[in-house]
Amino acid sequence: MTLGLALICGISAAQKPKNGWYQLFNGKDLKDWDVKITGHALNDNYGNTFRVRDGKLCVSYDQYEAFNEQYGHIFHKKKFSAYLLVMEYRFIGDQVKGGPGWAFRNSGAMLHCQPAASMGKDQDFPISIEVQLLGGKGTGNRTTANLCTPGTNVVMNGKLFTPHCVDSKSKTYHGDVWVRAEVLVLGDSIIKHIVEKDTVLTYEKPQIGGGNVSHYDPAYKQDGKLLSEGYISLQSESHPVEYRKVELFDLAPYMKDRNKLEKKLAELQQRKQ
């Protein structure tokens, strides 16, 4: 078999979109993903943190004695620029011993990430835009699909937004309920967070800048540089979480034709879940 043929045969199902949709998580294994956990080498999946169980991508801590600030991320191996990302997730169980209070029922999807291999061994978060996923505490309000900005900033309401996090206007989801979160990303222009079909947060011009990320390679911290593409990763922040769907519609082919893009977005908005 020639090298070219071998490469073609080796393309995974996740890299073969069906009608524009990529199944980032195939429901079977994590072969299309790279793992990076703070304090560990690339693809050292410490404690079997990221695993597949009953057809779900799971973040688990049953092999941890304590969390010890071992923040983790699992990166899909394909880079994207413009897309609709769809996730169905739920929080379960108890937070691992030593997890910070703010990380209770807390996880996230990191967008426009730097490459997994470029993260320092002790780096806590990738330089990226975070769609922060939160579960309710049983009482009170706690929104989900919020925005956090490790090593980044965005423009909101026409002004550069530099605080680390901002809440969305979503509902609160208490208990171990499944929640559908979507993110519309159009390169370095607009990003929308959508929860159960409601747009709950909008901003634009994602760019490198700000703090809240440590032990990074300065070569990847080019403040002011717009982020038009990157990798997608899911977090492990000390509370067990499950994903039963992680899929993406690639909008890159439509970005040069506004009419085609608007038509496709309208079709996606009308589709059945």
Side-chain angles (χ1 to χ4, degrees), residues 11-26 32-33 76 78-80 82-86 232 245-253:
I11 294 176
S12 71
Q15 294 172 309
K16 295 178 181 177
K18 183 177 181 180
N19 298 323
W21 286 96
Y22 287 82
Q23 298 303 316
L24 301 188
F25 172 53
N26 62 18
D32 295 312
W33 301 79
H76 192 267
K78 184 172 176 62
K79 183 188 295 185
F80 293 98
Y83 51 86
L84 178 69
L85 174 66
V86 179
I232 295 169
K245 177 179 290 187
V246 186
E247 64 180 11
L248 176 150
F249 187 89
D250 187 9
L251 290 167

Side-chain angles (χ1 to χ4, degrees), residues 77-123:
K77 292 182 178 180
K78 184 172 176 62
K79 183 188 295 185
F80 293 98
S81 61
Y83 51 86
L84 178 69
L85 174 66
V86 179
M87 301 169 289
E88 292 182 358
Y89 72 92
R90 69 174 180 178
F91 293 97
I92 61 170
D94 298 320
Q95 187 178 20
V96 66
K97 179 181 177 181
W102 56 261
F104 173 83
R105 290 186 174 250
N106 186 335
S107 190
M110 320 298 277
L111 314 178
H112 286 343
C113 288
Q114 66 182 105
S118 71
M119 288 185 67
K121 182 177 180 181
D122 295 323
Q123 188 171 340

Side-chain angles (χ1 to χ4, degrees), residues 139-158:
T139 59
N141 297 323
R142 198 172 190 232
T143 58
T144 190
N146 305 316
L147 167 68
C148 292
T149 54
T152 55
N153 292 313
V154 301
V155 170
M156 194 175 293
N157 300 318

